[in-house]
Every structure is written in structure tokens, then in C-alpha cells.
Amino acid sequence: MTLNLDQTWQSVLDKLRSWARINSPWVIHFNSGSCNGCDIEILATLTPRYDVERFGIKLEGSPRHADVLICTGPVTRQARDRLVRIYEQMPEPKFVIAVGSCALSGGAFRGCYNIMGGIDQVIPVDAYVPGCPPRPEAIIDGVVKLLAKLQGHDISTEPIVIGEPVADPVAAEAQETEEEASAT
Amino acid sequence: MSTETCLQTATELLATWTQESAEPEPGRVDVVIAPEDLIAAASALMDARWGYLTAITGLDLGPDDGRLEVLYHFACGAAIVTFRVRVPREDAKVPSLVSVIPSVSFFERELMEMFGVVCEGTPNTDKLFLPEDWPDGVYPLRKDFSMEQLDGQAGE
């Protein structure tokens, strides 16, 4: 029996890398034409109230140090080159999360003379988080599902799509508590 | 000065060059001015220290009408005076107001890229909002603009 040391070391290193990557996804946030609604929600997500640091998520200013690119807004023709440049500056492996209706399809801006469409018209997207704007919980869900995918829990190559947000969260919550009350 | 006195002063100042005038709503006066009188009319307002230029907008009356309107909005308090300058669509030219109001350059750059109105004598003719690789001769705010004009160009 022969032991290929190189391969063993490589696999140990890979495991270590993957472990480190999953436990500290540094994110960079780029707005390529958003109305700022989604950006505000991303800022809310980063506050201690939602405490994303428990997943090791940290906002990073430089694309060269970031693992995950969180994009908001449609891609305007002016922002396209900047978005591609930021994406290309990120080291491999890199992941892209599109946040908000406009980032998914162009949303309210679709068909406008200065709009390319959604983020996936320009760069590959790994997770889609719909909503106008999506709630911080949805954004966290998108990031966590992406991490789970990296961990190997989900082996499909299909991009992640977070479920459509509930139209009226207050009514949905009231209904939930009602159901709980009737169950007990 | 009250809004009425403001408007009255402006109407008197502009009387020499006014071809038509209208009052679309209280507190507003529209005056139609020929392109060649534009600098003189704007100077009259500026020399009298009457308000400031708030915006230049454009209006495409459509291919059937064959004209474009360039609207110069001046405001003094709540009073608004609008110069309506009518130019042919095919040969849209207005004189630049840079000699009278230096900061007008930004408005004129926007007007040039969005409506294809040439502002003669404006110092900077670069694109303002549109990307540098935008095709020449395509003006997004004209009535006959269509997305097909951009196909294969400016991205995709």
C-alpha cells in the first residue's frame, strides 16, 4: 500500500480552508443602481440586533479581502464596468448574492434605457434574495444557505433562491400565533 | 417681492423678446422666445438680479410635429418663469448660456445627450449621465427612441 503524502496534505489543507472560509465569510456590498432601500436593509442586517458576526460575517471595504459580493439594485450601463471590475478583483473562490427585486430582474427599472437588467446579466450569481426590499432575516437566510452549500450540505449547482417574502408580515404573524394558540 | 410682483417684473423685462406668453397655473408664466433672442432674454433677467436658473428641461413634440422645445425654468421665490424655445427636430440648435450663467454647463450637457439639442458654444460636450460607449445619434428622451437602437451596442 502506498501513501501519497502530497494528496493527504492537500486534502487536509482543503478541509482547513473550507472550514475557515465557512466560518468567516467577509462580505463586500456594492450598489449598482439601487434606490437604497435594499442597502438600508443590509445595514440593518449588519447591526448587533441581527448579529451576523455569529456566522463570522464581516463587512469588508476592499474587494481584494472579500469572499462574498452582496449586490443590490439593477445594473446601470454606467455601473456595469465598475461591477465587473469589483468582481474581478475578488480572489477565488468568490460568491455573489443578489439582494432585492431589482438585482434579480431589473425590477421597477427593467426596460429603462440605462439599465442592463439584473445582476446575472453581468456576473454569475450564487444566491437570489427577492423582496422590495427583502427583510434582514431573508438576507441572513440567503447568506446562511450559501454557507450551507459551501459546507456540502447542498450539492446541487443550481443557484439558491430564497422564498418570496410574505406580502403582509404582520397579518402572517397574527395568523401564526392564532394557529399556535389553537394547537395548544 | 410678492409672487405677483415678481412675475410682473419678469414679464416687463422680457416684453421685448416675448413672442407668446401664457399662464399655465397661478405663480407661473411661460414665454415663447426665439433661439436667437435667448441670450439677450436670459441676460435681462440676470442683470436685473431676477431669480436664478433652476433647470433646463426638454420636450419632444414628436416626429409629426417636427419640433423640440427646450424649456429654461427661472425661479424667484415661488414665482417661476419658463422660456419655451422651439427648435426643429432635425437641426436642433440653441445658443449656450455659459456666457451669462457659467454653471449652466451641466444642464446643457444633459440636454445634449438626452435630446440631441446642440448648445452652440458650450465648453464641455462630454457625456454627463450616459456611459462613454453610448452610440452616437441615439437620444433616449426623444419620442422615437427604442431599445432596439442599443442592441449590440453599449453592453449586452
Side-chain angles (χ1 to χ4, degrees):
Chain A
M1 189 183 138
T2 54
L3 180 68
N4 191 334
L5 262 183
D6 283 352
Q7 236 173 32
T8 316
W9 278 114
Q10 191 57 47
S11 87
V12 169
L13 198 63
D14 282 351
K15 273 186 186 152
L16 192 68
R17 265 207 202 125
S18 162
W19 170 83
R21 194 165 288 144
I22 289 157
N23 284 290
S24 68
W26 285 13
V27 301
I28 181 170
H29 165 214
F30 183 66
N31 170 350
S32 58
S34 168
C35 70
N36 274 9
C38 297
D39 307 280
I40 297 275
E41 293 302 311
I42 286 171
L43 290 188
T45 312
L46 295 167
T47 56
R49 186 186 174 97
Y50 292 98
D51 190 26
V52 286
E53 286 225 3
R54 67 199 143 120
F55 304 114
I57 298 169
K58 181 174 167 271
L59 190 69
E60 176 53 48
S62 163
R64 296 180 200 279
H65 301 159
D67 306 296
V68 179
L69 175 61
I70 298 188
C71 293
T72 55
V75 185
T76 63
R77 284 176 201 276
Q78 280 282 27
R80 180 190 45 155
D81 291 350
R82 282 83 184 170
L83 177 62
V84 171
R85 202 181 308 152
I86 285 174
Y87 181 73
E88 282 173 352
Q89 280 175 354
M90 288 170 63
E92 291 279 0
K94 50 195 168 188
F95 306 96
V96 178
I97 302 178
V99 170
S101 306
C102 302
L104 268 60
S105 65
F109 303 101
R110 194 182 173 90
C112 202
Y113 64 84
N114 52 352
I115 295 296
M116 306 291 301
I119 302 289
D120 56 5
Q121 298 290 311
V122 179
I123 53 174
V125 174
D126 298 281
Y128 295 88
V129 181
C132 185
R135 291 184 61 82
E137 290 89 337
I139 300 172
I140 296 172
D141 198 24
V143 177
V144 169
K145 287 216 167 102
L146 182 70
L147 296 181
K149 190 172 168 179
L150 295 190
Q151 225 155 11
H153 293 170
D154 174 7
I155 49 159
S156 74
T157 51
E158 288 293 305
I160 299 157
V161 180
I162 304 302
E164 277 288 343
V166 188
D168 187 354
V170 181
E173 209 168 282
Q175 200 184 345
E176 252 170 51
T177 39
E178 213 171 84
E179 276 166 18
E180 271 168 33
S182 63
T184 48
Chain B
M1 267 202 294
S2 75
T3 308
E4 287 73 36
T5 23
C6 268
L7 286 178
Q8 205 181 343
T9 320
T11 321
E12 282 162 17
L13 283 169
L14 297 169
T16 327
W17 305 284
T18 305
Q19 295 179 337
E20 281 172 50
S21 83
E23 207 170 312
E25 59 181 75
R28 290 192 76 136
V29 168
D30 283 9
V31 291
V32 176
I33 282 178
E36 54 273 17
D37 296 334
L38 180 64
I39 292 181
S43 313
L45 284 190
M46 290 298 112
D47 292 346
R49 294 274 181 269
W50 193 97
Y52 59 99
L53 179 73
T54 54
I56 300 179
T57 56
L59 183 64
D60 185 1
L61 299 175
D64 298 335
D65 190 275
R67 285 183 303 173
L68 280 165
E69 266 187 354
V70 184
L71 300 115
Y72 295 79
H73 307 276
F74 292 83
C76 175
I80 296 176
V81 168
T82 302
F83 293 3
R84 302 184 89 102
V85 180
R86 290 173 182 157
V87 289
R89 259 172 130 260
E90 299 312 318
D91 182 34
K93 274 184 198 158
V94 288
S96 169
L97 282 184
V98 166
S99 55
V100 187
I101 310 162
S103 63
V104 81
S105 171
F106 278 104
F107 293 147
E108 290 185 339
R109 279 167 69 187
E110 190 184 1
L111 184 72
M112 284 189 285
E113 67 181 7
M114 294 295 175
F115 284 98
V117 176
V118 178
C119 297
E120 287 175 310
T122 194
N124 190 345
T125 55
D126 290 348
K127 294 265 190 292
L128 181 62
F129 294 118
L130 297 181
E132 286 303 319
D133 59 354
W134 187 269
D136 289 336
V138 176
Y139 305 113
L141 295 190
R142 284 208 186 189
K143 294 277 189 233
D144 51 5
F145 169 78
S146 75
M147 291 295 275
E148 278 79 57
Q149 285 174 280
L150 297 178
D151 283 351
Q153 293 173 85
E156 295 302 324

